[in-house]
Amino acid sequence: MICTSGIWTVKKGREDEFARRWQESADGVSLNFPDLKFKLLRDRENPRRFVSLGDGWRNIEQVESVRSSPGFQDSMASIWRLLESGEISTLELVSEVS
């Protein structure tokens, strides 16, 4: 199983705009890939820090295809302008407890 994640530190005062733009980007990907699930979490102790999770990717090629698409790159460019820092990861499941 492949998951994606992002750790985002947003410029002060831009938190709501970041959340809105992130939602728009995730909505755009979901239109083409309805099996994917995305979540955006906000740190309660540091409200400028967000963590995003993407679940349900079929394979790494699907992730790379989405990330290289012009629409995704445009939406990410608008997101990066709102950040002090950001990190995107592609993760493989190692263990699961339920």
PDB file of all heavy atoms in Angstrom, residues 15-40:
ATOM      1  N   GLU A  15      -3.125  30.752   7.251  1.00  0.00           N
ATOM      2  CA  GLU A  15      -3.590  29.396   7.555  1.00  0.00           C
ATOM      3  C   GLU A  15      -4.904  29.051   6.847  1.00  0.00           C
ATOM      4  O   GLU A  15      -5.038  27.955   6.282  1.00  0.00           O
ATOM      5  CB  GLU A  15      -3.746  29.203   9.068  1.00  0.00           C
ATOM      6  CG  GLU A  15      -2.473  29.376   9.849  1.00  0.00           C
ATOM      7  CD  GLU A  15      -2.175  30.816  10.279  1.00  0.00           C
ATOM      8  OE1 GLU A  15      -2.897  31.751   9.846  1.00  0.00           O
ATOM      9  OE2 GLU A  15      -1.223  31.006  11.045  1.00  0.00           O
ATOM     10  N   ASP A  16      -5.878  29.939   6.886  1.00  0.00           N
ATOM     11  CA  ASP A  16      -7.171  29.657   6.257  1.00  0.00           C
ATOM     12  C   ASP A  16      -7.027  29.543   4.745  1.00  0.00           C
ATOM     13  O   ASP A  16      -7.639  28.672   4.117  1.00  0.00           O
ATOM     14  CB  ASP A  16      -8.200  30.733   6.605  1.00  0.00           C
ATOM     15  CG  ASP A  16      -8.619  30.685   8.065  1.00  0.00           C
ATOM     16  OD1 ASP A  16      -8.382  29.650   8.730  1.00  0.00           O
ATOM     17  OD2 ASP A  16      -9.180  31.686   8.544  1.00  0.00           O
ATOM     18  N   GLU A  17      -6.230  30.419   4.150  1.00  0.00           N
ATOM     19  CA  GLU A  17      -6.009  30.351   2.700  1.00  0.00           C
ATOM     20  C   GLU A  17      -5.296  29.058   2.328  1.00  0.00           C
ATOM     21  O   GLU A  17      -5.638  28.411   1.330  1.00  0.00           O
ATOM     22  CB  GLU A  17      -5.198  31.551   2.225  1.00  0.00           C
ATOM     23  CG  GLU A  17      -5.027  31.579   0.721  1.00  0.00           C
ATOM     24  CD  GLU A  17      -4.238  32.775   0.224  1.00  0.00           C
ATOM     25  OE1 GLU A  17      -3.819  33.625   1.042  1.00  0.00           O
ATOM     26  OE2 GLU A  17      -4.035  32.849  -0.995  1.00  0.00           O
ATOM     27  N   PHE A  18      -4.316  28.649   3.142  1.00  0.00           N
ATOM     28  CA  PHE A  18      -3.637  27.372   2.892  1.00  0.00           C
ATOM     29  C   PHE A  18      -4.632  26.221   2.910  1.00  0.00           C
ATOM     30  O   PHE A  18      -4.646  25.389   1.997  1.00  0.00           O
ATOM     31  CB  PHE A  18      -2.534  27.122   3.932  1.00  0.00           C
ATOM     32  CG  PHE A  18      -2.025  25.713   3.893  1.00  0.00           C
ATOM     33  CD1 PHE A  18      -1.102  25.324   2.931  1.00  0.00           C
ATOM     34  CD2 PHE A  18      -2.466  24.766   4.802  1.00  0.00           C
ATOM     35  CE1 PHE A  18      -0.648  24.012   2.872  1.00  0.00           C
ATOM     36  CE2 PHE A  18      -2.020  23.460   4.758  1.00  0.00           C
ATOM     37  CZ  PHE A  18      -1.109  23.081   3.786  1.00  0.00           C
ATOM     38  N   ALA A  19      -5.459  26.153   3.939  1.00  0.00           N
ATOM     39  CA  ALA A  19      -6.429  25.066   4.057  1.00  0.00           C
ATOM     40  C   ALA A  19      -7.380  25.053   2.856  1.00  0.00           C
ATOM     41  O   ALA A  19      -7.703  23.980   2.320  1.00  0.00           O
ATOM     42  CB  ALA A  19      -7.211  25.175   5.367  1.00  0.00           C
ATOM     43  N   ARG A  20      -7.801  26.218   2.416  1.00  0.00           N
ATOM     44  CA  ARG A  20      -8.705  26.306   1.265  1.00  0.00           C
ATOM     45  C   ARG A  20      -8.013  25.834  -0.011  1.00  0.00           C
ATOM     46  O   ARG A  20      -8.568  25.041  -0.773  1.00  0.00           O
ATOM     47  CB  ARG A  20      -9.210  27.743   1.090  1.00  0.00           C
ATOM     48  CG  ARG A  20     -10.184  27.917  -0.071  1.00  0.00           C
ATOM     49  CD  ARG A  20     -10.704  29.345  -0.179  1.00  0.00           C
ATOM     50  NE  ARG A  20      -9.665  30.363  -0.244  1.00  0.00           N
ATOM     51  CZ  ARG A  20      -8.951  30.649  -1.346  1.00  0.00           C
ATOM     52  NH1 ARG A  20      -9.157  29.996  -2.467  1.00  0.00           N
ATOM     53  NH2 ARG A  20      -8.044  31.598  -1.326  1.00  0.00           N
ATOM     54  N   ARG A  21      -6.791  26.288  -0.231  1.00  0.00           N
ATOM     55  CA  ARG A  21      -6.067  25.883  -1.443  1.00  0.00           C
ATOM     56  C   ARG A  21      -5.708  24.400  -1.406  1.00  0.00           C
ATOM     57  O   ARG A  21      -5.749  23.720  -2.436  1.00  0.00           O
ATOM     58  CB  ARG A  21      -4.829  26.746  -1.643  1.00  0.00           C
ATOM     59  CG  ARG A  21      -5.183  28.164  -2.028  1.00  0.00           C
ATOM     60  CD  ARG A  21      -3.972  28.946  -2.465  1.00  0.00           C
ATOM     61  NE  ARG A  21      -4.314  30.307  -2.766  1.00  0.00           N
ATOM     62  CZ  ARG A  21      -4.702  30.740  -3.958  1.00  0.00           C
ATOM     63  NH1 ARG A  21      -4.822  29.894  -4.954  1.00  0.00           N
ATOM     64  NH2 ARG A  21      -4.975  32.009  -4.161  1.00  0.00           N
ATOM     65  N   TRP A  22      -5.365  23.889  -0.223  1.00  0.00           N
ATOM     66  CA  TRP A  22      -5.079  22.455  -0.109  1.00  0.00           C
ATOM     67  C   TRP A  22      -6.339  21.661  -0.456  1.00  0.00           C
ATOM     68  O   TRP A  22      -6.276  20.676  -1.190  1.00  0.00           O
ATOM     69  CB  TRP A  22      -4.591  22.110   1.303  1.00  0.00           C
ATOM     70  CG  TRP A  22      -4.216  20.667   1.417  1.00  0.00           C
ATOM     71  CD1 TRP A  22      -2.979  20.127   1.224  1.00  0.00           C
ATOM     72  CD2 TRP A  22      -5.091  19.574   1.723  1.00  0.00           C
ATOM     73  NE1 TRP A  22      -3.041  18.759   1.378  1.00  0.00           N
ATOM     74  CE2 TRP A  22      -4.321  18.401   1.682  1.00  0.00           C
ATOM     75  CE3 TRP A  22      -6.451  19.474   2.015  1.00  0.00           C
ATOM     76  CZ2 TRP A  22      -4.874  17.137   1.933  1.00  0.00           C
ATOM     77  CZ3 TRP A  22      -7.003  18.223   2.249  1.00  0.00           C
ATOM     78  CH2 TRP A  22      -6.204  17.074   2.220  1.00  0.00           C
ATOM     79  N   GLN A  23      -7.484  22.088   0.061  1.00  0.00           N
ATOM     80  CA  GLN A  23      -8.758  21.418  -0.219  1.00  0.00           C
ATOM     81  C   GLN A  23      -9.057  21.430  -1.714  1.00  0.00           C
ATOM     82  O   GLN A  23      -9.467  20.422  -2.278  1.00  0.00           O
ATOM     83  CB  GLN A  23      -9.894  22.085   0.553  1.00  0.00           C
ATOM     84  CG  GLN A  23     -11.255  21.451   0.344  1.00  0.00           C
ATOM     85  CD  GLN A  23     -11.383  20.114   1.031  1.00  0.00           C
ATOM     86  OE1 GLN A  23     -11.073  20.016   2.207  1.00  0.00           O
ATOM     87  NE2 GLN A  23     -11.827  19.098   0.322  1.00  0.00           N
ATOM     88  N   GLU A  24      -8.857  22.561  -2.364  1.00  0.00           N
ATOM     89  CA  GLU A  24      -9.092  22.658  -3.804  1.00  0.00           C
ATOM     90  C   GLU A  24      -8.193  21.688  -4.568  1.00  0.00           C
ATOM     91  O   GLU A  24      -8.633  21.031  -5.512  1.00  0.00           O
ATOM     92  CB  GLU A  24      -8.845  24.090  -4.285  1.00  0.00           C
ATOM     93  CG  GLU A  24      -9.888  25.080  -3.823  1.00  0.00           C
ATOM     94  CD  GLU A  24      -9.492  26.523  -4.100  1.00  0.00           C
ATOM     95  OE1 GLU A  24      -8.348  26.774  -4.559  1.00  0.00           O
ATOM     96  OE2 GLU A  24     -10.320  27.413  -3.821  1.00  0.00           O
ATOM     97  N   SER A  25      -6.930  21.595  -4.169  1.00  0.00           N
ATOM     98  CA  SER A  25      -5.997  20.684  -4.823  1.00  0.00           C
ATOM     99  C   SER A  25      -6.431  19.233  -4.635  1.00  0.00           C
ATOM    100  O   SER A  25      -6.466  18.449  -5.592  1.00  0.00           O
ATOM    101  CB  SER A  25      -4.587  20.896  -4.274  1.00  0.00           C
ATOM    102  OG  SER A  25      -3.676  19.998  -4.869  1.00  0.00           O
ATOM    103  N   ALA A  26      -6.774  18.863  -3.397  1.00  0.00           N
ATOM    104  CA  ALA A  26      -7.213  17.493  -3.116  1.00  0.00           C
ATOM    105  C   ALA A  26      -8.505  17.179  -3.869  1.00  0.00           C
ATOM    106  O   ALA A  26      -8.662  16.080  -4.414  1.00  0.00           O
ATOM    107  CB  ALA A  26      -7.398  17.296  -1.613  1.00  0.00           C
ATOM    108  N   ASP A  27      -9.427  18.135  -3.929  1.00  0.00           N
ATOM    109  CA  ASP A  27     -10.674  17.930  -4.675  1.00  0.00           C
ATOM    110  C   ASP A  27     -10.377  17.664  -6.152  1.00  0.00           C
ATOM    111  O   ASP A  27     -11.007  16.796  -6.774  1.00  0.00           O
ATOM    112  CB  ASP A  27     -11.591  19.143  -4.556  1.00  0.00           C
ATOM    113  CG  ASP A  27     -12.246  19.270  -3.190  1.00  0.00           C
ATOM    114  OD1 ASP A  27     -12.236  18.291  -2.416  1.00  0.00           O
ATOM    115  OD2 ASP A  27     -12.763  20.374  -2.896  1.00  0.00           O
ATOM    116  N   GLY A  28      -9.425  18.412  -6.715  1.00  0.00           N
ATOM    117  CA  GLY A  28      -9.067  18.231  -8.114  1.00  0.00           C
ATOM    118  C   GLY A  28      -8.505  16.841  -8.391  1.00  0.00           C
ATOM    119  O   GLY A  28      -8.869  16.199  -9.385  1.00  0.00           O
ATOM    120  N   VAL A  29      -7.648  16.355  -7.514  1.00  0.00           N
ATOM    121  CA  VAL A  29      -7.093  15.007  -7.685  1.00  0.00           C
ATOM    122  C   VAL A  29      -8.197  13.969  -7.527  1.00  0.00           C
ATOM    123  O   VAL A  29      -8.281  12.998  -8.288  1.00  0.00           O
ATOM    124  CB  VAL A  29      -5.932  14.757  -6.695  1.00  0.00           C
ATOM    125  CG1 VAL A  29      -5.470  13.312  -6.762  1.00  0.00           C
ATOM    126  CG2 VAL A  29      -4.767  15.702  -6.962  1.00  0.00           C
ATOM    127  N   SER A  30      -9.068  14.168  -6.549  1.00  0.00           N
ATOM    128  CA  SER A  30     -10.141  13.206  -6.280  1.00  0.00           C
ATOM    129  C   SER A  30     -11.124  13.064  -7.441  1.00  0.00           C
ATOM    130  O   SER A  30     -11.725  12.008  -7.614  1.00  0.00           O
ATOM    131  CB  SER A  30     -10.910  13.596  -5.022  1.00  0.00           C
ATOM    132  OG  SER A  30     -10.095  13.460  -3.893  1.00  0.00           O
ATOM    133  N   LEU A  31     -11.292  14.118  -8.230  1.00  0.00           N
ATOM    134  CA  LEU A  31     -12.179  14.028  -9.398  1.00  0.00           C
ATOM    135  C   LEU A  31     -11.689  12.956 -10.370  1.00  0.00           C
ATOM    136  O   LEU A  31     -12.491  12.230 -10.955  1.00  0.00           O
ATOM    137  CB  LEU A  31     -12.260  15.373 -10.115  1.00  0.00           C
ATOM    138  CG  LEU A  31     -13.083  16.453  -9.432  1.00  0.00           C
ATOM    139  CD1 LEU A  31     -12.951  17.768 -10.196  1.00  0.00           C
ATOM    140  CD2 LEU A  31     -14.542  16.040  -9.325  1.00  0.00           C
ATOM    141  N   ASN A  32     -10.373  12.875 -10.552  1.00  0.00           N
ATOM    142  CA  ASN A  32      -9.795  11.907 -11.480  1.00  0.00           C
ATOM    143  C   ASN A  32      -9.501  10.557 -10.841  1.00  0.00           C
ATOM    144  O   ASN A  32      -9.382   9.555 -11.543  1.00  0.00           O
ATOM    145  CB  ASN A  32      -8.517  12.473 -12.097  1.00  0.00           C
ATOM    146  CG  ASN A  32      -8.800  13.682 -12.960  1.00  0.00           C
ATOM    147  OD1 ASN A  32      -9.728  13.687 -13.752  1.00  0.00           O
ATOM    148  ND2 ASN A  32      -8.003  14.717 -12.788  1.00  0.00           N
ATOM    149  N   PHE A  33      -9.362  10.550  -9.520  1.00  0.00           N
ATOM    150  CA  PHE A  33      -9.017   9.326  -8.798  1.00  0.00           C
ATOM    151  C   PHE A  33      -9.917   9.201  -7.569  1.00  0.00           C
ATOM    152  O   PHE A  33      -9.486   9.452  -6.439  1.00  0.00           O
ATOM    153  CB  PHE A  33      -7.537   9.348  -8.382  1.00  0.00           C
ATOM    154  CG  PHE A  33      -6.602   9.464  -9.544  1.00  0.00           C
ATOM    155  CD1 PHE A  33      -6.107  10.697  -9.930  1.00  0.00           C
ATOM    156  CD2 PHE A  33      -6.217   8.343 -10.262  1.00  0.00           C
ATOM    157  CE1 PHE A  33      -5.243  10.814 -11.012  1.00  0.00           C
ATOM    158  CE2 PHE A  33      -5.347   8.444 -11.340  1.00  0.00           C
ATOM    159  CZ  PHE A  33      -4.871   9.687 -11.717  1.00  0.00           C
ATOM    160  N   PRO A  34     -11.180   8.809  -7.769  1.00  0.00           N
ATOM    161  CA  PRO A  34     -12.148   8.810  -6.664  1.00  0.00           C
ATOM    162  C   PRO A  34     -11.848   7.806  -5.544  1.00  0.00           C
ATOM    163  O   PRO A  34     -12.415   7.925  -4.464  1.00  0.00           O
ATOM    164  CB  PRO A  34     -13.478   8.500  -7.349  1.00  0.00           C
ATOM    165  CG  PRO A  34     -13.120   7.887  -8.652  1.00  0.00           C
ATOM    166  CD  PRO A  34     -11.781   8.427  -9.036  1.00  0.00           C
ATOM    167  N   ASP A  35     -10.958   6.850  -5.776  1.00  0.00           N
ATOM    168  CA  ASP A  35     -10.617   5.889  -4.722  1.00  0.00           C
ATOM    169  C   ASP A  35      -9.635   6.457  -3.703  1.00  0.00           C
ATOM    170  O   ASP A  35      -9.425   5.862  -2.645  1.00  0.00           O
ATOM    171  CB  ASP A  35     -10.020   4.607  -5.320  1.00  0.00           C
ATOM    172  CG  ASP A  35     -11.052   3.836  -6.131  1.00  0.00           C
ATOM    173  OD1 ASP A  35     -12.263   4.030  -5.889  1.00  0.00           O
ATOM    174  OD2 ASP A  35     -10.647   3.055  -6.996  1.00  0.00           O
ATOM    175  N   LEU A  36      -9.018   7.589  -4.015  1.00  0.00           N
ATOM    176  CA  LEU A  36      -8.054   8.192  -3.089  1.00  0.00           C
ATOM    177  C   LEU A  36      -8.789   8.944  -1.985  1.00  0.00           C
ATOM    178  O   LEU A  36      -9.831   9.551  -2.213  1.00  0.00           O
ATOM    179  CB  LEU A  36      -7.133   9.152  -3.829  1.00  0.00           C
ATOM    180  CG  LEU A  36      -6.244   8.527  -4.905  1.00  0.00           C
ATOM    181  CD1 LEU A  36      -5.456   9.614  -5.624  1.00  0.00           C
ATOM    182  CD2 LEU A  36      -5.315   7.494  -4.300  1.00  0.00           C
ATOM    183  N   LYS A  37      -8.222   8.894  -0.797  1.00  0.00           N
ATOM    184  CA  LYS A  37      -8.762   9.615   0.364  1.00  0.00           C
ATOM    185  C   LYS A  37      -7.679  10.562   0.878  1.00  0.00           C
ATOM    186  O   LYS A  37      -6.538  10.161   1.070  1.00  0.00           O
ATOM    187  CB  LYS A  37      -9.154   8.649   1.481  1.00  0.00           C
ATOM    188  CG  LYS A  37     -10.129   7.568   1.053  1.00  0.00           C
ATOM    189  CD  LYS A  37     -11.493   8.149   0.780  1.00  0.00           C
ATOM    190  CE  LYS A  37     -12.466   7.044   0.440  1.00  0.00           C
ATOM    191  NZ  LYS A  37     -13.268   7.322  -0.703  1.00  0.00           N
ATOM    192  N   PHE A  38      -8.070  11.803   1.119  1.00  0.00           N
ATOM    193  CA  PHE A  38      -7.127  12.804   1.612  1.00  0.00           C
ATOM    194  C   PHE A  38      -7.625  13.381   2.925  1.00  0.00           C
ATOM    195  O   PHE A  38      -8.825  13.568   3.110  1.00  0.00           O
ATOM    196  CB  PHE A  38      -6.966  13.936   0.587  1.00  0.00           C
ATOM    197  CG  PHE A  38      -6.359  13.483  -0.704  1.00  0.00           C
ATOM    198  CD1 PHE A  38      -7.147  13.250  -1.813  1.00  0.00           C
ATOM    199  CD2 PHE A  38      -4.995  13.285  -0.810  1.00  0.00           C
ATOM    200  CE1 PHE A  38      -6.597  12.826  -3.007  1.00  0.00           C
ATOM    201  CE2 PHE A  38      -4.427  12.869  -1.995  1.00  0.00           C
ATOM    202  CZ  PHE A  38      -5.229  12.630  -3.104  1.00  0.00           C
ATOM    203  N   LYS A  39      -6.673  13.682   3.804  1.00  0.00           N
ATOM    204  CA  LYS A  39      -6.980  14.338   5.081  1.00  0.00           C
ATOM    205  C   LYS A  39      -5.970  15.450   5.310  1.00  0.00           C
ATOM    206  O   LYS A  39      -4.787  15.301   4.992  1.00  0.00           O
ATOM    207  CB  LYS A  39      -6.869  13.353   6.250  1.00  0.00           C
ATOM    208  CG  LYS A  39      -7.885  12.254   6.235  1.00  0.00           C
ATOM    209  CD  LYS A  39      -7.690  11.341   7.420  1.00  0.00           C
ATOM    210  CE  LYS A  39      -8.690  10.194   7.347  1.00  0.00           C
ATOM    211  NZ  LYS A  39      -8.537   9.270   8.454  1.00  0.00           N
ATOM    212  N   LEU A  40      -6.443  16.540   5.883  1.00  0.00           N
ATOM    213  CA  LEU A  40      -5.569  17.623   6.313  1.00  0.00           C
ATOM    214  C   LEU A  40      -5.778  17.799   7.810  1.00  0.00           C
ATOM    215  O   LEU A  40      -6.908  18.020   8.262  1.00  0.00           O
ATOM    216  CB  LEU A  40      -5.899  18.933   5.580  1.00  0.00           C
ATOM    217  CG  LEU A  40      -4.993  20.107   5.915  1.00  0.00           C
ATOM    218  CD1 LEU A  40      -3.548  19.830   5.518  1.00  0.00           C
ATOM    219  CD2 LEU A  40      -5.501  21.377   5.237  1.00  0.00           C
TER     220      LEU A  40
END
